[in-house]
Amino acid sequence: MIFSAPVIALGATLGTASGILAICGLSLLCKSYKKGISEKDQESELEKTQPSVVHCAQQFSVKKSTEPIQPRTLLKFPRIYRPKPLVTSSEVINSTDNTLESTDKPSAENTAEPDHSCLATDGSEEVFIIPRQDSKEALALSGDLKKETEADNTTPNPKLHFSLQYNTQTLELHVTVIEAENISELQGHDCYITGHLTTKSGRRESLTSIRRVTPHLLWEETLVFPLPEGYGIEGEITLSLFNCDKFSRHTNTGVMRFKLADVGMLSDADCWVDLQHPKQDPAVSVGEILLSISYLPAANRLGVVVMKARSLQSDKLKDVIDLSVKLALKHQSTKLKKKQTRRVKHKMNPVWNEMMMFEVPHELLSQSSLDLEVLNQACVGDVQSLGHCAVGMQSTGTGLQHWQQMLINPRKQLAMWHPLYE
């Protein structure tokens, strides 16, 4: 009995310890069991997810590259359309060096082979070669359009009042310039009269003073020409009206001629004559230039294509040939814009094929014109003029005809040969 209490206490202690140990063992077993189940669940989940990842990798495969990525262009450079020529003139068709290219199928009348060196163009627009005034195929102005062009060119010719007298004592011919009317200011605000006496013995010149242009201009000056042989010999008198502007450019705006044999009939008489526009003699032409012009009314643009030149005759081309064309757009007598083509070397028949655009309002076309000049650069700083021509309503011959056809046929390329004069 004495030892029973300690034994009971020891047994209780041991029982408590063993219970604690048993509880700890059970807890460890539960943890290990749960850990095994969680690992199996993770492996099964990985097995389920691997096919989808592989599928995504196959679907969105990305290739690596070390090359730089170039940006994709969003804007494209616009295609430039230029006019293509179409030959409609017989004189150009029959020439071996003047054939032009056309985008249309050749007709029965046009059997000329195309020359791809004439116009380097990509568009479908056509160039029409209009014949000269002396050609059988000269185009006639039609109806209302003809009236419009004639209305723009209704400026009357200048009139000159003069008298003649032969002085038998001094053996001189006196030409008295009295007055003039209808003198235009387009070529300049000052004017004067020149007189030329041409005989077998030579040519003599006399001129009046320079006067300001007015509606009724009074001179009352006498031009004296020595004529010891009398007026019965063969000869001619020429009276010319010249306008000059602030740049000292002198333009012949009217001329009249009469024979010396008519002096006896005209002596001591007051003569009123209409001065005619000076006619240029084609025999003195130094070459020709082919131009194509068109006008776009919607854009108020005048397009000029300097195509080529031929038959250039000048002593200035013996040493160096370096040719270009200078264009000047004029309104009345004022130069508004100047442009120049590239230079072509070592060719007597140069080809430029260059287009130049000028902005011209439609209401100013009747008073505008183009001046062209062929230049040769002999050396640095030495530019020589070979010949020039003018196209406009104030021009004559082919220059006037070409401008009128452009007004009648807007938005069409019209090509024409123009003679060059020194």
Side-chain angles (χ1 to χ4, degrees), residues 136-183:
K136 294 181 180 180
E137 297 182 4
L139 300 177
L141 300 177
S142 59
D144 299 334
L145 294 175
K146 180 178 178 181
K147 294 179 181 179
E148 292 180 2
T149 56
E150 290 178 352
D152 293 335
N153 197 21
T154 54
T155 304
N157 291 341
K159 294 184 178 182
L160 182 63
H161 183 197
F162 69 98
S163 63
L164 296 174
Q165 185 179 10
Y166 183 74
N167 194 327
T168 56
Q169 296 180 355
T170 59
L171 301 180
E172 294 175 341
L173 177 62
H174 293 183
V175 180
T176 303
V177 178
I178 303 174
E179 56 188 341
E181 295 180 353
N182 302 333
I183 301 178

Side-chain angles (χ1 to χ4, degrees), residues 76-93:
K76 295 183 180 180
F77 190 77
R79 185 179 180 184
I80 299 177
Y81 293 91
R82 299 188 180 93
K84 278 199 174 183
L86 176 65
V87 179
T88 58
S89 174
S90 58
E91 65 177 279
V92 179
I93 292 176

Side-chain angles (χ1 to χ4, degrees), residues 1 29 107 132 155 158 170 212 254 276 308 336 360 376 379 386 416:
M1 295 296 290
L29 287 174
S107 60
R132 297 185 183 174
T155 304
T170 59
R212 194 73 175 177
Q276 304 298 322
K308 57 184 176 180
L336 302 179
V360 185
N376 181 41
C379 59
L386 302 183
M416 192 171 187

